[in-house]
Amino acid sequence: MHALWPVSPPLVPIAGSREGFPVRRIYCVGRNYVDHIREMREGDERDDPFFFQKPADAVVPDGAKVAYPQATGDFQFEGELVVAIGARCRDIRPEDSPKAIFGYAAGIDLTRRDLQKVSVAQARPWEPGKSFDGSAPCGPILPRERSSGLDAGTLVLDVNGDVRQRTRLDLMIWSVPEIVARLSDLYTLEPGDLIFTGTPAGVAAIHPGDCVTVRITGLPSLTITIQEQL
């Protein structure tokens, strides 16, 4: 039996290379900054961060125009550090996690906040609010060997030049090595997996015409423009 159409994985550009990073899965960390937990009032600050997923084809690259999604009246940004996995790992220790990391990128976890709030209120999965077309913008991936200073780095997100989010990456509740290790306890991580590591406070609605940019110390920036619903 033959496939009716070819299926190719989405590619994220690799900084300094003509090659792309084929995306296999997208994992996201929820509630990984205390100030965002306080902002959203959805959980206890003592709760562990948790994980949810987005479809691989939700990825859109730097410079993309993202259509305002259907079924929402509260479309919001969440600026995040993204970790790209480059080696298969299972039950890895935090101190060994660099062996599994290919590189890092700037990302945006786009969210239909009103749908997410309904899911939270009904104790249902977050997919309606999180997993939709174009919901995972990701900038070019900088290979790990060329990345430095992330532990002491900052993340800044602006909308139309107005800074909305600013944080230090060392304020994450779970560090990158801890996130990779914990995920590898739950899933077999494979080359091509992306991990969005959580967002700080400052999330807010965006609208058609808005330009959203994320800058993370030492990494290529990510910029998207929101356009009218298609």
Side-chain angles (χ1 to χ4, degrees):
M1 184 174 182
H2 299 286
L4 296 179
W5 50 82
V7 178
S8 299
L11 296 177
V12 175
I14 298 171
S17 172
R18 293 183 179 179
E19 297 183 352
F21 182 89
V23 179
R24 173 181 174 265
R25 291 182 182 172
I26 301 173
Y27 298 97
C28 302
V29 184
R31 302 172 186 159
N32 201 25
Y33 288 84
V34 170
D35 59 358
H36 182 56
I37 294 173
R38 292 172 179 169
E39 172 182 59
M40 299 307 296
R41 300 178 183 177
E42 289 177 353
D44 193 297
E45 294 174 20
R46 296 167 295 180
D47 292 344
D48 284 340
F50 59 93
F51 305 102
F52 58 94
Q53 295 188 36
K54 291 175 181 270
D57 63 2
V59 164
V60 294
D62 176 49
K65 294 181 179 179
V66 178
Y68 194 97
Q70 61 196 63
T72 186
D74 191 7
F75 183 41
Q76 297 196 2
F77 58 79
E78 297 188 4
E80 310 200 3
L81 171 68
V82 178
V83 178
I85 298 297
R88 189 174 192 268
C89 64
R90 180 189 298 164
D91 299 324
I92 196 170
R93 298 179 302 175
E95 57 267 31
D96 294 329
S97 66
K99 300 175 184 177
I101 296 173
F102 174 80
Y104 304 92
I108 306 172
D109 170 11
L110 291 172
T111 302
R112 296 189 286 200
R113 189 71 69 197
D114 43 0
L115 300 189
Q116 183 195 19
K117 288 180 177 179
V118 170
S119 295
V120 169
Q122 297 177 346
R124 293 179 176 177
W126 284 11
E127 273 76 4
K130 292 288 190 176
S131 302
F132 53 92
D133 298 341
S135 63
C138 185
I141 298 169
L142 186 69
R144 179 174 58 85
E145 60 270 19
R146 293 166 51 199
S147 305
S148 61
L150 277 179
D151 290 343
T154 60
L155 179 153
V156 178
L157 180 146
D158 68 65
V159 179
N160 303 325
D162 180 23
V163 173
R164 302 294 185 86
Q165 290 184 290
R166 184 189 299 273
T167 193
R168 300 197 322 265
L169 297 177
D170 62 4
L171 292 177
M172 288 192 291
I173 297 171
W174 280 11
S175 67
V176 167
E178 291 169 332
I179 290 169
V180 173
R182 179 56 177 154
L183 267 174
S184 78
D185 291 341
L186 299 171
Y187 310 93
T188 299
L189 298 179
E190 299 279 2
D193 291 344
L194 296 178
I195 306 171
F196 283 60
T197 59
T199 198
V203 300
I206 43 180
H207 307 91
D210 285 340
C211 180
V212 184
T213 298
V214 180
R215 296 180 178 86
I216 297 178
T217 303
L219 300 181
S221 62
L222 165 66
T223 298
I224 61 169
T225 303
I226 310 303
Q227 64 180 12
E228 295 286 350
Q229 189 177 115
L230 298 178

